[in-house]
C-alpha cells in the first residue's frame, strides 16, 4: 500500500500488529510516552505529508489516557500535512453515554465525536456501535462495521444443530441486533424482559392461569372418555401456549416461587419517617418503557432489587445464543442463562458479543456459572493474559475485517461486502 501510513496506539497493540500483518505493512514509527507530571507526549517518526494515515486505537482499561493519546496523535498527523486521517476505533469509548438518561446529564459520546473532528480526523471506522444513531454525532463519514458475520461463522462451525438454536436478546433494546443475526442464520429468535415494577403478584397470576388451563384440558379429555392424566409434553405445550415463561430474580439469580426475599432498604432510600418511598424507576401514568434503561440492569443498586424476568419465545430442548454488543458486567447474562436452563428447558447456553470488556471479575463469574457453556467475543478490546486462559472463553479475530476495510478505503473501493459476509477475506 503506497502513500499510506498506519499508526498503532498503546491501547491494543496486539490488534494493531495483526491488522498491519494482514495489510502487509509495518506500523509507522512513533513515540508515545508520558511526562513525569502525567501529560501525554506523541512524536511521529516519519513523514506523513500528502499521505493517507490510519490511527488504530481501541477502548481499554486506561480509557481516558488512550483517548488523549488518540487525539494528540491525530492532531500531530494533521500538523504533519497528512492528506487524509482515519481513526480506526474498534470499540468506541463512552458509547453507552450516547443519550441523556438523567436530567443534567451529558451526552459524552457526542462530545468525544466532536473532539475527534476538532483534532483533525476525516473519517471514522468502528465496529458495532452501542447505538447506531451515534453515527449522526460526526460531521465526517463513519463506517460502522459489524461483528455479526464473524460470530455467525463461528456459530455455524461450533454450535451443535445450530439450525434449531434460538438467538435471544437479554433486554428489549437488543432485539434489532438479535433479529439481524437470526435472519443471517435463518433460525428463530426470542426476547427476555426484566421488570422491577412487577414481581411475585404477576408471577402468581401466571401460575394460576397455567393451572386453570391444565384443569380445563383435563376436563376436556375426561368428557371425551379418555384418560384424565396428561403426559409431560402435553402439560408443557399448555404452559407454553402463550409463548411466555416467567420467573423471579433476587440478587441477580433466578429463584423458586416459594423463595422469600429479605427486604433490602438502602439508608439513603428511606424517608424521614422511616417509610420506603415509591420506586423511583416507575413511570408516571404508565408511560412507555425505555429499552436503554436496561444498560443499568447490572449496577449494584439494580441487583439488590427483586425483578420479574420473562422470556418471550420457546427454547425448550434447543441451544440458546444470548447476544449483545458488549459484555461488561455479568448479572443480566447469568440471570438470562439461568432462566433459559432452569425454567424454559434450554439445552445449552452460549453468551456471544462483539466487545468483551469484562469489568472486574465479570469473566470469572461467567466462567463459574454452571448454566453457561461458552463465552464468545471478538478481539476488539484488549484482554489480560489471565483472562485469555479462561476455559469457557473463545476469542474471534476480527483483524481481517478491519484490514480489508482499510485496504478498500485506501483504494477507493466499496466496503458494503464487509457488512454481509466474509467470503472475500
Amino acid at each position: 500500500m503506497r502513500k499510506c501510513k498506519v499508526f498503532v496506539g498503546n491501547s491494543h497493540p496486539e490488534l494493531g500488529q495483526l491488522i498491519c500483518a494482514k495489510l502487509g505493512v509495518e506500523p509507522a514509527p512513533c513515540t508515545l510516552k508520558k511526562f513525569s507530571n502525567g501529560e501525554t507526549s506523541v512524536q511521529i517518526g516519519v513523514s506523513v505529508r500528502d499521505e493517507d494515515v490510519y490511527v488504530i486505537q481501541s477502548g481499554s482499561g486506561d480509557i481516558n489516557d488512550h483517548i488523549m493519546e488518540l487525539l494528540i496523535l491525530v492532531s500531530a498527523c494533521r500538523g504533519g500535512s497528512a492528506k487524509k486521517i482515519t481513526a480506526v476505533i474498534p470499540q468506541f469509548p463512552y458509547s453507552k453515554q450516547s443519550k441523556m438518561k438523567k436530567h443534567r446529564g451529558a451526552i459524552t459520546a457526542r462530545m468525544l465525536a466532536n473532539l475527534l473532528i476538532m483534532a483533525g480526523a476525516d473519517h471514522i471506522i468502528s465496529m458495532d456501535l452501542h447505538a447506531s444513531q451515534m453515527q449522526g454525532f460526526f460531521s465526517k463519514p463513519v463506517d460502522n462495521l459489524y461483528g455479526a458475520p464473524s460470530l455467525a461463522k463461528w456459530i455455524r462451525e461450533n454450535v451443535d444443530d445450530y439450525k434449531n438454536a434460538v438467538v435471544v436478546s437479554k433486554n428489549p433494546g437488543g432485539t434489532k441486533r438479535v433479529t439481524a443475526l437470526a435472519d443471517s442464520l435463518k433460525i428463530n429468535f426470542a426476547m427476555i424482559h426484566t421488570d422491577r415494577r412487577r414481581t411475585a403478584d404477576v408471577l402468581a397470576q401466571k401460575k394460576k392461569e397455567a393451572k386453570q388451563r391444565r384443569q380445563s384440558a383435563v376436563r376436556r379429555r375426561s368428557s371425551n372418555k379418555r384418560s384424565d392424566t396428561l403426559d409431560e409434553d402435553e402439560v408443557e405445550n399448555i404452559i407454553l401456549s402463550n409463548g411466555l415463561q416467567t420467573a423471579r430474580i433476587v440478587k441477580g439469580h433466578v429463584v423458586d416461587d416459594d423463595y422469600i426475599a429479605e427486604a433490602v432498604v438502602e439508608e439513603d432510600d428511606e424517608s424521614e419517617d422511616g417509610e420506603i418511598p415509591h420506586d423511583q424507576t416507575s413511570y408516571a401514568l404508565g408511560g412507555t418503557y425505555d429499552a436503554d434503561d436496561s444498560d443499568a440492569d447490572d449496577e449494584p443498586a439494580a441487583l439488590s432489587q427483586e425483578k420479574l424476568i420473562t422470556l418471550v419465545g420457546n427454547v425448550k430442548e434447543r441451544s440458546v445464543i444470548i447476544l449483545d454488543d458488549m459484555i461488561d458486567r455479568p448479572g443480566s447474562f447469568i440471570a438470562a442463562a439461568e432462566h433459559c436452563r432452569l425454567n424454559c428447558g434450554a439445552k445449552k447456553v452460549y453468551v456471544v458479543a462483539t466487545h468483551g470488556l469484562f469489568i472486574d471479575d465479570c469473566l470469572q463469574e461467567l466462567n463459574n456459572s454452571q448454566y453457561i457453556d461458552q463465552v464468545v467475543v471478538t478481539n476488539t478490546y484488549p484482554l489480560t493474559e489471565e483472562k485469555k486462559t479462561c476455559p469457557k472463553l473463545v476469542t474471534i479475530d476480527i483483524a481481517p475485517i478491519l484490514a480489508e476495510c482499510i485496504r478498500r478505503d485506501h483504494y477507493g473501493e466499496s466496503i458494503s461486502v464487509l457488512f454481509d459476509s466474509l467470503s472475500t477475506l
Side-chain angles (χ1 to χ4, degrees):
M1 295 175 59
R2 300 183 61 185
K3 304 289 289 183
C4 175
K5 293 291 188 298
V6 179
F7 292 94
V8 178
N10 285 330
S11 66
H12 199 347
E14 180 182 354
L15 177 61
Q17 294 288 345
L18 291 173
I19 293 174
C20 289
K22 291 291 183 181
L23 292 172
V25 300
E26 289 291 330
C30 64
T31 303
L32 306 172
K33 62 181 181 180
K34 278 190 174 185
F35 291 125
S36 58
N37 61 357
E39 294 179 356
T40 301
S41 172
V42 173
Q43 184 68 40
I44 296 177
V46 66
S47 173
V48 295
R49 182 177 298 275
D50 199 31
E51 295 201 4
D52 281 350
V53 173
Y54 296 88
V55 181
I56 302 174
Q57 185 85 309
S58 188
S60 67
D62 299 324
I63 185 169
N64 295 324
D65 289 340
H66 290 148
I67 286 175
M68 282 304 302
E69 186 179 283
L70 170 63
L71 295 173
I72 297 173
L73 190 52
V74 169
S75 180
C77 293
R78 175 60 63 200
S81 301
K83 180 181 179 181
K84 178 184 176 184
I85 302 173
T86 300
V88 182
I89 314 173
Q91 195 276 317
F92 196 86
Y94 289 97
S95 59
K96 278 196 171 185
Q97 300 184 48
S98 59
K99 62 177 293 185
M100 190 178 297
K101 298 180 182 180
K102 296 181 180 180
H103 298 296
R104 298 182 296 276
I107 306 177
T108 315
R110 183 179 64 184
M111 182 189 69
L112 180 55
N114 293 336
L115 289 172
L116 282 168
I117 301 304
M118 291 298 295
D122 300 302
H123 183 202
I124 307 295
I125 296 176
S126 189
M127 178 169 283
D128 278 341
L129 292 172
H130 186 62
S132 58
Q133 67 266 21
M134 286 176 57
Q135 298 177 69
F137 293 167
F138 297 87
S139 58
K140 299 291 184 178
V142 178
D143 287 325
N144 181 29
L145 303 177
Y146 301 135
S150 299
L151 299 175
K153 180 180 179 182
W154 184 91
I155 291 170
R156 292 190 187 98
E157 295 175 352
N158 296 276
V159 175
D160 297 334
D161 193 21
Y162 82 90
K163 292 185 178 179
N164 288 322
V166 180
V167 187
V168 176
S169 173
K170 71 179 180 67
N171 56 55
T175 50
K176 188 174 182 180
R177 185 180 303 108
V178 162
T179 53
L181 179 61
D183 289 342
S184 65
L185 293 171
K186 296 181 174 58
I187 61 178
N188 293 329
F189 63 92
M191 184 193 75
I192 285 179
H193 177 257
T194 55
D195 197 341
R196 293 187 292 271
R197 294 170 290 168
R198 302 180 301 160
T199 51
D201 293 339
V202 177
L203 183 60
Q205 181 63 26
K206 294 285 185 183
K207 298 295 184 181
K208 181 179 179 181
E209 292 174 357
K211 182 178 180 180
Q212 290 175 349
R213 286 194 295 269
R214 288 197 296 269
Q215 291 174 347
S216 299
V218 170
R219 286 194 295 268
R220 286 196 300 271
R221 291 173 64 93
S222 299
S223 62
N224 294 332
K225 296 182 180 180
R226 297 169 60 186
S227 172
D228 59 353
T229 59
L230 297 176
D231 58 39
E232 183 178 353
D233 292 337
E234 290 175 314
V235 172
E236 194 66 33
N237 289 334
I238 294 170
I239 295 175
L240 299 179
S241 61
N242 60 356
L244 300 175
Q245 296 90 42
T246 308
R248 296 167 60 198
I249 298 180
V250 177
K251 296 182 180 179
H253 295 279
V254 173
V255 298
D256 296 333
D257 301 341
D258 299 331
Y259 180 86
I260 300 176
E262 298 179 358
V264 179
V265 180
E266 298 293 340
E267 182 178 352
D268 294 338
D269 292 340
E270 295 185 5
S271 59
E272 294 180 358
D273 56 1
E275 293 182 358
I276 301 174
H278 178 68
D279 183 7
Q280 298 177 359
T281 62
S282 61
Y283 294 81
L285 303 179
T288 56
Y289 175 77
D290 191 342
D292 285 338
D293 285 349
S294 57
D295 288 343
D297 282 348
D298 286 339
E299 296 297 330
L303 291 177
S304 65
Q305 298 173 342
E306 179 176 345
K307 296 181 288 186
L308 191 73
I309 184 170
T310 303
L311 173 69
V312 183
N314 184 13
V315 299
K316 182 176 174 60
E317 297 298 330
R318 300 183 182 186
S319 295
V320 168
I321 302 165
I322 301 177
L323 177 70
D324 206 355
D325 65 318
M326 68 174 67
I327 305 175
D328 51 356
R329 296 184 182 275
S332 55
F333 290 98
I334 293 176
E338 290 179 353
H339 184 47
C340 290
R341 292 285 292 270
L342 293 175
N343 303 310
C344 306
K347 184 170 57 176
K348 286 186 176 182
V349 173
Y350 300 87
V351 174
V352 179
T354 303
H355 311 300
L357 276 62
F358 302 125
I359 305 301
D360 298 330
D361 58 348
C362 171
L363 183 57
Q364 182 180 354
E365 292 189 29
L366 293 174
N367 184 68
N368 293 339
S369 175
Q370 59 180 323
Y371 304 105
I372 296 176
D373 294 277
Q374 277 187 305
V375 180
V376 184
V377 296
T378 68
N379 60 343
T380 57
Y381 193 89
L383 298 177
T384 63
E385 293 299 325
E386 180 182 359
K387 291 180 178 179
K388 290 179 182 179
T389 59
C390 175
K392 292 184 180 180
L393 179 64
V394 177
T395 305
I396 300 174
D397 182 20
I398 47 83
I401 299 179
L402 295 171
E404 182 67 10
C405 181
I406 291 174
R407 189 194 68 79
R408 287 173 175 267
D409 178 74
H410 177 64
Y411 289 113
E413 301 176 8
S414 172
I415 66 169
S416 60
V417 66
L418 300 179
F419 299 138
D420 302 323
S421 67
L422 300 175
S423 58
T424 61
L425 304 184

